[in-house]
Amino acid sequence: MIPGPIEYEPNVLNAMSQPTISHTSKEFIFIFKEALEKLLKVFDAKNALPFILSGSGTLAMEIGTVNFIKRDSKVLVINTGYFGDRFVDLFSRFTKNIDVYRPPLGYAADPVEVQERVRKNEYDLVTVTHVDTSTGIRNDVKRIANYFKDLDTVLVVDGVCSIGGEEFHMDWGVDVAFTASQKALGVPPGLAVGVVGPKAMKIMEKNPPLSFFSDLRKWQNVFKNMLDLKPGYFGTPNVNLITALNVSLTYILNEGMEKRIKRHEIIGESFRAAIKELGLEMLPKESFANTLSVQYLPEGVKQENFLSDAERYGTVFAGGLIPEIKERYFRIGHMGSVSSSEVMISIGAIERALKKNGYNLKLGSGLAAAQEILSKYDFGIPF
Amino acid sequence: MIPGPIEYEPNVLNAMSQPTISHTSKEFIFIFKEALEKLLKVFDAKNALPFILSGSGTLAMEIGTVNFIKRDSKVLVINTGYFGDRFVDLFSRFTKNIDVYRPPLGYAADPVEVQERVRKNEYDLVTVTHVDTSTGIRNDVKRIANYFKDLDTVLVVDGVCSIGGEEFHMDWGVDVAFTASQKALGVPPGLAVGVVGPKAMKIMEKNPPLSFFSDLRKWQNVFKNMLDLKPGYFGTPNVNLITALNVSLTYILNEGMEKRIKRHEIIGESFRAAIKELGLEMLPKESFANTLSVQYLPEGVKQENFLSDAERYGTVFAGGLIPEIKERYFRIGHMGSVSSSEVMISIGAIERALKKNGYNLKLGSGLAAAQEILSKYDFGIPF
Amino acid sequence: MIPGPIEYEPNVLNAMSQPTISHTSKEFIFIFKEALEKLLKVFDAKNALPFILSGSGTLAMEIGTVNFIKRDSKVLVINTGYFGDRFVDLFSRFTKNIDVYRPPLGYAADPVEVQERVRKNEYDLVTVTHVDTSTGIRNDVKRIANYFKDLDTVLVVDGVCSIGGEEFHMDWGVDVAFTASQKALGVPPGLAVGVVGPKAMKIMEKNPPLSFFSDLRKWQNVFKNMLDLKPGYFGTPNVNLITALNVSLTYILNEGMEKRIKRHEIIGESFRAAIKELGLEMLPKESFANTLSVQYLPEGVKQENFLSDAERYGTVFAGGLIPEIKERYFRIGHMGSVSSSEVMISIGAIERALKKNGYNLKLGSGLAAAQEILSKYDFGIPF
Amino acid sequence: MIPGPIEYEPNVLNAMSQPTISHTSKEFIFIFKEALEKLLKVFDAKNALPFILSGSGTLAMEIGTVNFIKRDSKVLVINTGYFGDRFVDLFSRFTKNIDVYRPPLGYAADPVEVQERVRKNEYDLVTVTHVDTSTGIRNDVKRIANYFKDLDTVLVVDGVCSIGGEEFHMDWGVDVAFTASQKALGVPPGLAVGVVGPKAMKIMEKNPPLSFFSDLRKWQNVFKNMLDLKPGYFGTPNVNLITALNVSLTYILNEGMEKRIKRHEIIGESFRAAIKELGLEMLPKESFANTLSVQYLPEGVKQENFLSDAERYGTVFAGGLIPEIKERYFRIGHMGSVSSSEVMISIGAIERALKKNGYNLKLGSGLAAAQEILSKYDFGIPF
């Protein structure tokens, strides 16, 4: 139950161990084409270039930004946690003109504030983290993006912890969005994936390349070829993982994006109801993500002991990522093929681990609160 | 959560898909030898012949009995459910002298009553079902077996739903015991396994064979050879399943039989506490098995709807097997690598499915009762 | 390259490691139905009952015979090798009236001789081994069976080493035929499969059962139910192996029986051409099987050394099975998904292993002979 | 039989489909540590930093160079094929000072010539492709590297098609070397791996970073931590592929590097003997790689038809990569767990496909030539 790598469908894992077929075979090209097309549907993107590269979310951040700036471009980072800091680090290699908008800890970015900053400064590119894995805060990308539709500024959405679990549409006004395979797409880690809209594509064509492996000018023909069922090569693709991704995207689209988002909402609500009932404080003050829950431990409960007890009781949770407070909170990932079963297991383990560590609670009370939510929605299994 | 096939460890399933090696190769003979030796430990058997055949529990019943009778031998079936009836059917092909001791529904066999019947009749063979999968009743094999130590009568224990989950020792006085791979041994269905003690072996040598594939006179050299790392052949063994069995037996013995039995006790107790708290009546009046829980549905709850809702909520339970009442009760299997997670998931689904079907209950109350038990024992994960 | 277990398609092995689904689930019943229907096509059977049981070829021999005799029925065994002897052993448990027709070693049964023996004696049942795995001789089942169409005698064909690789049609006059999963059906060992025609079914209904697990009176409703997509139970089926069988049967029928038989013919011919060119003597004098090749080792070549060298060179062959000469010959299995690749590997290893053991040969000459055959047919891959 | 992705050991593929464990778990850190340590042994590296990143050979080229140059550093590319051109493309993003030494097609770089060029120019960095996958030429890295021991110039060896199959030692004078998982390391594509020696590490510390995801300044603490069994994070590692790599490296080191290199030599020699016997011309005039064979097609044989026939006959070969002649030659990869079986299959298919396409040859003659080599060495299976 950590916020990625998550648990996978058996057929996704099975796809991982198929004998690797040639990356230039018709069979693989067909799989690659399918995966790219399905990706466009999951991102709800039209007239956009999808990309799938061997890498991780960290590489996706590079691909999603470096292709759309020049040396010393002016950029704004909307920073609601650990991965905002990382954008600053990334940009520091390519430009000196980096602005940062950092709302107080626990709060999402104010769309009005973003609008004002963007109006005042002619940014070449702005990044926003849809759901920051370190805080569980979900930014209001819909309202933020709306303002970019008429601008030349490229809006980049880091969807690593949201795409596939939270509502998302490229036509909100997003120019570039990306995620990594091991999050809500339900595939083992090893792929950086995303889409690039037409405005960003045009800007890319005008800029000279700042990088090599992440240079989409090189890769775009590979992806366009694959979509036309033709071979293409810039680097050997991760055949097994792309095959697994294709299987997982099939499950995702079979469930349907609307039902899938709703499912994540109910699961998120169940977790929050249980956590509140148990008397724990959430890290976000508002704007809660539905893909993970982030909450403080009660006074006196030592994180290390709590996490190791919970693990013994059957569930692995993640510690904190925000340096100053990383030992005071813990994170529960609930994205992908998550169901009511994971709510029961997790809240059950949390109750027993808290009690074991001296916290005074009524066993079963968190579970009862979660049951009320799950029962209200008549919640069934995802697949 | 049906009473077999159960859920398996990933490495057990992985062993299933290894390229099949030659059944006469040194590598496979070594695996076969290991599996046979570990089986003796799980049955706690000394000076006994272990057996592993392609088949099912139904074949195990034949192997475990037909080798130790003559045409028209006198046999007694201790019948506490569906699988007692099956013994009668089996024996009817080979003998006309079949007695049946059938305690009232919901009750285990009375060891004193067994003793009296055995004293009065010179039975060649007596069968007892340790845990009857159809009722969840556990017979007191320890007390029953004790009386057979000094008799020529062969005591056969059907351990299909107990071995690997309930306490069992051949030296209680048991002559033959068996189970099937898909129950508490944690391997997909396809193997009939068991052990034959010295008394039964001697009797087998004296009797002419009544069958062919199940004839242990033919198979015993195969198993003895394997234990000596020599090839042996009477039928091609199920290479992949035996490899998987060997992996699973390693997990079982690594956990340790004592800890494993204790774990099944705690899980069984948790389930019974929750079921009682929810106001459901158990089918057994006493002598509850720890490997499965069998309970009546509340008045007015239709089994078909309940089972299908529970399945939608993530858990598959089994209906009844006793013909007259099969639609009035349901069965929860909890054997093998079962942990507190399965308790949470199952009770959670039961609560919501009962409520959905009009039963008046306090959501979370069953879970709370189970949590109290699990918390008391500081229950950790099995592996 | 032993005559079973053979090498399997990756997707067949993958099916083996799927999490085991409930044997009463709709999903599994559908798979079971499909496997049964495809089996009828592979056996080219109409109005026949297909069967799939956990077991092995040895159990298939019991199922295929014991259901169609009474105590002390009169039977004839057409014995062309090891598995003929086994039929005699099997029948000895149920009847004293066993006749044996044993052609000289290396020769197939003479259909005329069979006809005469059957005319003179009113046999209840006659068995013939289509291809005897111990000798590589293929009996002319077509001509033999023709004579049984008008008789009450049940003709049982042991198709363990032929069905799926040699031409076979139930309407030749065959009443019962069977094989095991690990032979030309391309699935790991653990299943006994076959079909029973209408004449045999009628006879079965009249006879009292002589056995239990192999009693088709019990199983027939299970298979009939599955074919109607209804649940049925007599013993827990081998869920994973049946799923794998269904995948393999799909490959087989996708290739098409005619093409598949032709492929086995070409492969068989290639092997025989190479073996002849290398100066080795085949065990059969005529009537060569296409599913395996059986040949004597040259004088002075020790079987143990030859087999272990060949294994080091990458190929496992099987030794002999006929007791008197078992160390003088070796067997090459070439059935299932076998292709020209296996011919190249095997003949290559044989050449080098023979040379290593002092046999005087021209390296490459066997390969050249095989190439001529393969090239003549423009032989492509099976799937 | 393409030059990567190659065929994998079943246990390597099995490792791919294990449920993904947390990348911060003790279990995974232990696996990561083991893989890093084994990598050092395969590269025969001491006092060096090993690296494993999600990516491909293309990323490995970036990691292996960009970390050791400054903007507008002076670099030399020793260009013996397609991947030399790629280095030029890579460097063009970071520097204008690129020299290229391109020997005539079919010839390896002359070490004396390299020495002279390096003496005359104070290069910051020189790259050499050990085996160029496009030509099958192996450069004499040992002699080339010797000269760099006393220089400040960083020597980077692209070992993508050599490491794990050709002799290689970092102490020849190599500063940086790398490969990709899908080549002679025997793991599906998706990992860029390599080692960085002390001289290169020092230079890296002095240079400001030019890139982000490939920045070893960021990653080095991750790898150092893992080697100390401590967690570390810059991007989520490819858990499943690293687990598979660890399994494959175990096989490699169990075989032993010396035996493994010798095996590749014999296989390479067998292929070249067969190709010569069949009258085909190799692309390299000298300095043949042992990991792949590259040869021209005979006049009149159309590549497209030849490759598709060979594929139908069971073997996939690769076409050319050098633009001007790419349709006139084909490539056979023979690295990793390759054995005599692959020689037999490949030469067998080549013979038949050439004949099918009108080339006049004696079937079996290439096989005979290969057999002579294999037989001379008494060549056994690798594992």
Side-chain angles (χ1 to χ4, degrees), chain C residues 57-121:
Chain C
T58 305
L59 179 70
M61 293 172 80
E62 177 176 324
I63 301 168
T65 52
V66 172
N67 285 291
F68 315 104
I69 55 171
K70 289 194 288 281
R71 191 149 297 280
D72 293 329
S73 274
K74 199 168 178 189
V75 299
L76 170 68
V77 173
I78 301 174
N79 187 336
T80 47
Y82 186 88
F83 291 93
D85 294 345
R86 171 160 292 190
F87 270 122
V88 175
D89 181 13
L90 189 166
F91 286 126
S92 71
R93 284 133 213 274
F94 304 100
T95 176
K96 289 182 301 282
N97 301 310
I98 310 168
D99 283 356
V100 177
Y101 162 35
R102 184 194 287 269
L105 182 64
Y107 290 92
D110 177 358
V112 176
E113 170 81 19
V114 173
Q115 184 171 349
E116 271 168 34
R117 287 179 182 241
V118 172
R119 195 186 325 152
K120 276 192 236 148
N121 301 275

Side-chain angles (χ1 to χ4, degrees), chain A residues 10-11 14-15 17-19, chain C residues 10-11 14-15 17-19:
Chain A
N11 282 332
N14 253 305
S17 63
Q18 299 297 312
Chain C
N11 282 332
N14 253 305
S17 62
Q18 299 298 311

Side-chain angles (χ1 to χ4, degrees), chain A residues 90-290:
Chain A
L90 190 167
F91 286 126
S92 70
R93 285 133 213 273
F94 304 100
T95 177
K96 287 181 302 283
N97 301 310
I98 310 168
D99 283 357
V100 176
Y101 162 36
R102 185 195 286 271
L105 181 65
Y107 289 91
D110 176 359
V112 177
E113 171 82 18
V114 172
Q115 183 171 349
E116 272 168 32
R117 286 176 184 245
V118 172
R119 195 185 325 154
K120 277 190 234 148
N121 303 275
E122 294 204 342
Y123 290 117
D124 292 296
L125 185 143
V126 173
T127 69
V128 62
T129 311
H130 195 180
V131 169
D132 200 292
T133 318
S134 67
T135 58
I137 289 163
R138 185 181 59 196
N139 281 303
D140 189 343
V141 168
K142 185 177 180 179
R143 283 187 61 203
I144 290 171
N146 191 43
Y147 189 66
F148 286 77
K149 284 181 174 168
D150 308 320
L151 299 180
D152 288 338
T153 309
V154 173
L155 177 65
V156 177
V157 175
D158 175 344
V160 167
C161 209
S162 74
I163 305 283
E166 303 277 2
E167 190 179 2
F168 181 84
H169 308 282
M170 282 295 279
D171 71 3
W172 280 344
V174 177
D175 295 307
V176 181
F178 57 81
T179 183
S181 50
Q182 79 274 16
K183 300 284 178 170
L185 298 186
V187 183
L191 295 176
V193 305
V195 298
V196 181
K199 187 171 93 189
M201 284 299 282
K202 256 184 230 155
I203 287 165
M204 181 177 83
E205 296 302 335
K206 289 187 298 191
N207 292 342
L210 298 178
S211 68
F212 179 65
F213 183 68
S214 64
D215 184 1
L216 281 181
R217 291 157 198 82
K218 284 286 178 186
W219 286 104
Q220 62 176 318
N221 288 329
V222 176
F223 305 125
K224 286 174 182 167
N225 276 5
M226 294 288 166
L227 287 166
D228 285 345
L229 289 178
K230 292 187 293 191
Y233 173 69
F234 178 58
T236 306
N238 195 324
V239 173
N240 299 51
L241 264 176
I242 291 170
T243 306
L245 174 66
N246 191 34
V247 173
S248 191
L249 291 172
T250 305
Y251 278 111
I252 290 172
L253 295 173
N254 278 353
E255 185 181 13
M257 288 312 292
E258 213 170 322
K259 273 183 72 178
R260 188 175 176 90
I261 303 303
K262 184 72 191 164
R263 176 165 58 79
H264 280 83
E265 275 175 30
I266 299 167
I267 294 290
E269 193 181 338
S270 306
F271 270 106
R272 293 191 294 272
I275 286 155
K276 192 180 164 195
E277 183 64 36
L278 292 174
L280 269 54
E281 187 196 351
M282 302 286 291
L283 189 146
K285 306 296 178 201
E286 50 172 40
S287 309
F288 304 102
N290 288 320

